[in-house]
Amino acid sequence: MYKLSACSSMSCGISLPPKMILASLRGHKQGNGRCTNVPRNVNLEKLQNNYLFPEISKRELQHLEKYPNAKVISLGIGDTTEPIPEQISLSMANYAHALSTAEGYRGYGAEQGNQVLRKAIAETFYKDVAIKDTEVFVSDGAQCDISRLQLLLGSKVTIAVQDPSFPAYIDSSVIIGQAGDFQDKTGKYQNIEYMQLGPQNNFFPDLTITPRTDIIFFCSPNNPTGHAATRKQLQQLVDFARDNGSIIIFDSAYATYVSDDSPKSIFEIPGAKEVAIEISSFSKFAGFTGVRLGWTVVPEELLFSGGFPVIHDFNRIVCTCFNGASNISQAGGLACLSSEGFQAIRAVIDYYKENARILVDTFASLGLEVYGGVNAPYVWVHFPGSKSWNVFAEILEKTHIITVPGSGFGPGGAEYIRISAFGRRERIIEASWRLEKLFSMGKSPLLTV
Amino acid sequence: MYKLSACSSMSCGISLPPKMILASLRGHKQGNGRCTNVPRNVNLEKLQNNYLFPEISKRELQHLEKYPNAKVISLGIGDTTEPIPEQISLSMANYAHALSTAEGYRGYGAEQGNQVLRKAIAETFYKDVAIKDTEVFVSDGAQCDISRLQLLLGSKVTIAVQDPSFPAYIDSSVIIGQAGDFQDKTGKYQNIEYMQLGPQNNFFPDLTITPRTDIIFFCSPNNPTGHAATRKQLQQLVDFARDNGSIIIFDSAYATYVSDDSPKSIFEIPGAKEVAIEISSFSKFAGFTGVRLGWTVVPEELLFSGGFPVIHDFNRIVCTCFNGASNISQAGGLACLSSEGFQAIRAVIDYYKENARILVDTFASLGLEVYGGVNAPYVWVHFPGSKSWNVFAEILEKTHIITVPGSGFGPGGAEYIRISAFGRRERIIEASWRLEKLFSMGKSPLLTV
């Protein structure tokens, strides 16, 4: 009675590249099932197979197989390590416990977030720039909101990204259908504008040669380079967006790491409210990477070309595709923004910043070109003429330290590695010592290319 | 220096329908800003303005303005009201509190969910049908996963939905770009297949007249009708999907309310693993509507037409567009699946089911046609010849009870209202009493149409 013929990737797939067939065979039974008649989404076919952090995890596992007794230090994925200040964890614990009482029980909250938390975010981070609580949308993290913003924008818009940049901007763009094919030769997708960043342009794109796009993703303080754009640079960016009628999606997830007078929000720049959305997060600010809490600001002044307010459509996306962040996480977020909570968090941020200083000093003392680490928890080290996966492999092999190869953030990171400053102090010091040993006295071939 | 001309919805919008202009003017300043040159997403333009639950909230507010002393009973939105059993809330409280200790702190978890929780879900709900833990993806709720599944599928697939159905299937389909224009005359979107459900077909679509689509959204026990599809019906559905090479997205969010031998999972049906994905939720099962936790099962056997496993692409979507559910919520989920936790939750479900029984009996005793309420927390009442918004308005006006007009779930609900059985027992009894008073002795015009 079933009309579908049995199939396998060999008999009815054909178009799969050998690597994918191999992956399928390894991970899952294949070839003994029957295919549906539903075609695979062409956008997902375009996505490159090896995404960065799973590949790093695989390399780490292989390393541990080779050196079972190695004391690996992970300065790879930017994951927080320090406990959450107790007044904050207690506020979540108390909220959670109260859910078993008639007085404390809460069901669905507003999709846009608890009103009190929205107000606290507006007052804590945007008081001087007059962002209203109704313009703040609480989320389960900036990465999730990037995809929701892509759902808002749709497949017809053009985008620009910093190169290097956090991979989710490009990957979500490919998934929604904005990008063309990936070009092996350049390491770039067609139809995406890559704005190169490096020491040659003070880590700010040369806007005189940047073509207009509808959307500009811009992260400052930057992941991975650690560079915080100056006020002058951001004013140039806002002017550029206004000249072109573009929308900036400004990722300020690391804003609380800024210690000089670089802007912490795009809305500090005059004219930004008419051209910018800001996404941000409690993850690196309060150690909420696993608790999941973030926010997005969409100003009322931001209008599509037809005059329709972007905030209306984002509200609709949030109501349809999301159902609010966990109310327990939101209780924690509120505690972070009390004056005691904020002060306790500051101490944790300062701890990570001291880690970053140690790492910057280590690389600098070895005569390496080192960037970032001042206004961000990331240190960006240049190995001119090297390939970043080779640098990653050499450091792992000789020091048992996990870093992130810069090419994972785009072709602009090809000669760099990113070092995360998240970690226990003693591990950071140990890592510095191992790196000094590797790089001092010209022992590493990395210094001689 | 700014090249953009100042704009308003009048001067540069033009194409906005009057209702939207009005909404913009009411909600947000407009006409004094400058537009970007970014066009609004055409898919969002297609979405209808008044979505169901915000409209009901508006009506409730208007009612309270008219009757400030009215004791409104809300049997509208299906929101849980009973406290979470304490062993579950305590497990979350303990997990949250431990985040402030070096031993208890956790950063990012796996995007797919905590391995132990995935295993517990597989063993609790899918032991007899041999779903593996690696096929279970933990989420922040079924509604969010519906949108992630739409990102997976893309704009090129065709879909069918039950009519009436939970609005998120259709709305997310419009947002991703699968649907054509909305037809005011029919109340339907073009390019979406509406499978009519009603007493005439025992609330199961006539598959002999249903055209093939790539995707079939199917919810059982059904929201809003409360009908649980029988084993025979679901076997027909699976056979239909296999014959057509379609993928069923089976929403089992209310499965734990089943008390007869209707299947609780689509995977109880032979052959389903090759044609179905299942989404589910802790919301109505454990009172986690505000805690946010759910899951999706994608079997390894499910293949796109080219032979590529759907699970690979869903994994990629989860890793790129999501960052895992809150680890505190996941700790609560795990506690729900312990034998003590599960038993405590059962008692809450039984409480809501007794509410449903009371409501069903009330309507039945009044001679009304009433459906659902046996295997689901929803009661579906037929008012032949009436319009559901009128029934909603009359009940609200005369009894101060909020219901949901069936037409909010699609044209197939035009003559129905949905009553939610979530609520405190005394409120349910009070509601029954008020309804009896309204409908007894032919006092209501609703009974005379």
Side-chain angles (χ1 to χ4, degrees), chain B residues 42-43 45-48 174 177-192 194:
Chain B
V42 288
N43 299 331
E45 271 177 22
K46 281 182 193 164
L47 264 183
Q48 292 309 290
V174 175
Q178 295 158 356
D181 288 329
F182 185 77
Q183 308 293 301
D184 279 322
K185 220 172 177 174
T186 60
K188 299 179 183 180
Y189 287 94
Q190 288 180 311
N191 302 349
I192 291 182
Y194 290 71

Side-chain angles (χ1 to χ4, degrees), chain B residues 317-444:
Chain B
I317 291 288
V318 164
C319 290
T320 306
C321 307
F322 185 52
N323 228 328
S326 171
N327 49 19
I328 304 170
S329 309
Q330 292 191 69
L334 198 58
C336 293
L337 304 181
S338 70
S339 59
E340 301 77 26
F342 204 83
Q343 205 178 337
I345 285 173
R346 267 265 50 106
V348 181
I349 292 171
D350 289 343
Y351 180 92
Y352 293 135
K353 281 172 69 85
E354 175 63 11
N355 286 351
R357 194 196 55 74
I358 292 168
L359 290 165
V360 167
D361 286 356
T362 300
F363 287 108
S365 73
L366 294 166
L368 288 160
E369 275 182 59
V370 53
Y371 304 96
V374 177
N375 291 313
Y378 296 124
V379 178
W380 187 240
V381 189
H382 196 182
F383 293 87
S386 293
K387 285 184 174 161
S388 63
W389 275 108
N390 294 346
V391 180
F392 167 89
E394 160 119 357
I395 292 177
L396 179 57
E397 178 68 25
K398 301 213 171 135
T399 69
H400 309 307
I401 295 173
I402 303 282
T403 60
V404 184
S407 65
F409 300 102
E415 298 182 345
Y416 292 81
I417 56 159
R418 190 194 79 174
I419 320 272
S420 158
F422 295 111
R424 297 257 49 178
R425 178 68 42 78
E426 57 271 23
R427 314 267 288 164
I428 299 290
I429 290 170
E430 165 74 18
S432 290
W433 181 83
R434 292 189 199 168
L435 289 163
E436 273 169 14
K437 208 171 134 196
L438 171 66
F439 289 116
S440 63
M441 299 175 292
K443 272 186 199 160
S444 170

Side-chain angles (χ1 to χ4, degrees), chain A residues 8-21 40 45, chain B residues 305-308:
Chain A
S8 73
S9 56
M10 313 307 169
S11 68
C12 76
I14 312 295
S15 67
L16 282 182
K19 258 198 292 189
M20 286 189 181
I21 294 175
R40 189 177 178 211
E45 271 177 23
Chain B
S305 54
F308 193 84

Side-chain angles (χ1 to χ4, degrees), chain A residues 88-404:
Chain A
I88 295 162
S89 73
L90 263 180
S91 74
M92 294 193 280
N94 291 338
Y95 189 98
H97 192 191
L99 291 174
S100 58
T101 66
E103 305 73 39
Y105 184 74
R106 294 287 179 280
Y108 286 119
E111 291 92 341
Q112 302 86 352
N114 175 344
Q115 182 59 28
V116 187
L117 178 58
R118 297 172 81 186
K119 202 162 176 242
I121 291 171
E123 284 180 0
T124 305
F125 299 106
Y126 304 106
K127 199 173 182 179
D128 296 340
V129 296
I131 290 291
K132 297 176 201 158
D133 50 1
T134 50
E135 295 170 315
V136 175
F137 294 79
V138 176
S139 77
D140 60 335
Q143 183 165 340
C144 311
D145 261 357
I146 291 167
S147 283
R148 282 188 282 266
L149 285 168
Q150 296 285 19
L151 276 170
L152 166 85
L153 296 165
S155 62
K156 308 287 188 220
V157 301
T158 53
I159 77 156
V161 294
Q162 291 159 295
D163 178 26
S165 72
F166 179 52
Y169 312 133
I170 288 176
D171 285 356
S172 64
S173 171
V174 175
I175 288 171
I176 204 73
Q178 294 158 357
D181 289 329
F182 185 77
Q183 309 292 301
D184 280 321
K185 220 172 178 174
T186 59
K188 298 179 182 179
Y189 287 94
Q190 288 180 312
N191 302 350
I192 291 182
E193 196 55 47
Y194 290 71
M195 304 182 295
Q196 218 186 338
L197 306 179
Q200 76 285 358
N201 55 18
N202 195 19
F203 291 98
F204 187 77
D206 182 350
L207 297 175
T208 64
I209 57 162
T210 303
R212 179 199 178 273
T213 56
D214 292 315
I215 308 300
I216 304 167
F217 279 97
F218 199 94
C219 177
S220 178
N222 189 261
N223 177 7
T225 70
H227 177 78
T230 64
R231 196 165 301 271
K232 196 175 154 197
Q233 287 176 334
L234 288 184
Q235 185 67 63
Q236 282 174 32
L237 181 71
V238 168
D239 291 348
F240 179 75
R242 292 181 67 104
D243 283 351
N244 288 307
S246 304
I247 295 176
I248 299 163
I249 298 181
F250 188 79
D251 185 342
S252 69
Y254 300 94
T256 42
Y257 288 79
V258 170
S259 42
D260 63 17
D261 76 335
S262 304
K264 295 180 181 179
S265 162
I266 191 71
F267 301 121
E268 292 180 34
I269 307 301
K273 283 187 190 173
E274 288 163 350
V275 292
I277 289 167
E278 182 160 305
I279 51 179
S280 203
S281 173
F282 283 82
S283 290
K284 312 300 166 73
F285 155 53
F288 271 27
T289 44
V291 171
R292 312 303 311 136
L293 196 68
W295 72 87
T296 288
V297 175
V298 185
E300 290 174 357
E301 289 90 336
L302 184 66
L303 308 175
F304 287 118
S305 55
F308 193 84
V310 175
I311 191 172
H312 289 346
D313 276 350
F314 190 63
N315 185 57
R316 187 66 197 272
I317 290 288
V318 163
C319 290
T320 306
C321 308
F322 184 52
N323 228 328
S326 171
N327 48 19
I328 304 169
S329 309
Q330 291 191 69
L334 198 57
C336 292
L337 303 181
S338 71
S339 60
E340 301 77 25
F342 204 83
Q343 204 177 338
I345 286 173
R346 267 267 47 109
V348 181
I349 293 172
D350 288 343
Y351 181 92
Y352 293 136
K353 282 173 68 85
E354 174 64 11
N355 285 350
R357 194 196 55 75
I358 292 168
L359 289 165
V360 166
D361 285 356
T362 300
F363 286 109
S365 73
L366 293 165
L368 288 161
E369 275 183 59
V370 53
Y371 304 96
V374 177
N375 291 313
Y378 296 124
V379 178
W380 187 240
V381 189
H382 197 183
F383 293 87
S386 293
K387 285 183 174 162
S388 63
W389 276 108
N390 293 347
V391 180
F392 167 89
E394 159 120 356
I395 292 177
L396 180 57
E397 177 68 25
K398 301 212 173 137
T399 69
H400 310 306
I401 296 172
I402 304 282
T403 60
V404 184

Side-chain angles (χ1 to χ4, degrees), chain B residues 10-42:
Chain B
M10 314 306 169
S11 68
C12 76
I14 314 294
S15 66
L16 282 181
K19 257 198 294 188
M20 285 188 183
I21 293 174
L22 198 69
S24 299
L25 289 171
R26 211 173 28 227
H28 296 277
K29 272 181 295 176
Q30 174 113 8
N32 57 355
R34 62 179 69 233
C35 298
T36 64
N37 286 336
V38 179
R40 188 177 178 211
N41 184 345
V42 288

Side-chain angles (χ1 to χ4, degrees), chain A residues 40-47 175, chain B residues 151-152 313 317:
Chain A
R40 189 177 178 211
N41 183 344
V42 289
N43 299 332
L44 279 147
E45 271 177 23
K46 280 182 194 165
L47 264 184
I175 288 171
Chain B
L151 276 170
L152 166 84
D313 275 349
I317 291 288

